[in-house]
């Protein structure tokens, strides 16, 4: 029972993660191979039906849409925060900290840019 149920799935997971970690393939290529591997496993266990395939596609699209809304929301919040002068408030609040302020400001700037917010001097 363990060999027929756990071993194929474990091998698929190891193959996917191993090929990413060892640099054999990109994440996108591995994702398509993993999807194909999942379909092959479902066919091998005679569990593949059109209804299940349709449901998995639907759930994948729904999850992707939720993640996209998270990106849109985080971009909006960071843009409004920057536009309303939140960067200046953070700069003034961190000026008197005993840690190196330049290092802290640099880290905050990297986080701001990663979030997609424009620097304060570009908004005026």
């Amino acid at each position: 029972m363990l060999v027929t149920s756990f071993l194929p799935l474990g091998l698929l997971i190891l193959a996917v993660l191993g090929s990413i970690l060892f640099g054999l393939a990109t994440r996108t290529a591995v994702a398509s191979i993993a999807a194909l591997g999942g379909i092959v496993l479902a066919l091998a266990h005679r569990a593949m039906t059109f209804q299940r395939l349709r449901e998995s596609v639907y759930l994948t699209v729904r999850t992707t849409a939720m993640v996209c809304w998270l990106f849109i929301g985080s971009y909006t919040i960071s843009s409004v925060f920057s536009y309303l002068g939140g960067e200046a408030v953070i700069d003034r609040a961190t000026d008197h900290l005993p840690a190196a302020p330049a290092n802290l400001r640099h880290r905050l700037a990297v986080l701001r840019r990663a979030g997609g917010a424009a620097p304060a001097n570009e908004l005026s």
Side-chain angles (χ1 to χ4, degrees):
M1 181 73 168
L2 184 66
V3 172
T4 60
S5 62
F6 179 73
L7 189 63
L9 185 59
L11 288 175
L12 179 64
I13 291 170
L14 285 175
V16 167
L17 292 179
S19 58
I20 291 173
L21 292 175
F22 291 117
L24 300 175
T26 63
R27 294 176 299 226
T28 306
V30 171
S32 62
I33 292 171
L36 180 64
I39 290 172
V40 168
L41 285 177
L43 287 171
H45 285 279
R46 292 181 176 82
M48 183 70 169
T49 62
F50 181 74
Q51 179 63 29
R52 285 189 179 175
L53 179 65
R54 195 172 104 191
E55 182 182 357
S56 68
V57 169
Y58 171 74
L59 292 174
T60 301
V61 169
R62 192 174 84 174
T63 303
T64 304
M66 286 186 222
V67 170
C68 287
W69 277 111
L70 288 173
F71 287 146
I72 292 169
S74 66
Y75 178 79
T76 303
I77 288 173
S78 65
S79 295
V80 169
F81 179 78
S82 178
Y83 180 74
L84 293 177
E87 294 175 14
V89 171
I90 297 294
D91 282 341
R92 284 193 304 270
T94 57
D95 278 343
H96 65 281
L97 291 178
N103 188 14
L104 184 60
R105 282 195 198 115
H106 173 70
R107 289 180 185 180
L108 289 172
V110 168
L111 287 175
R112 263 194 320 268
R113 293 309 258 169
N121 58 2
E122 290 181 13
L123 294 174
S124 1

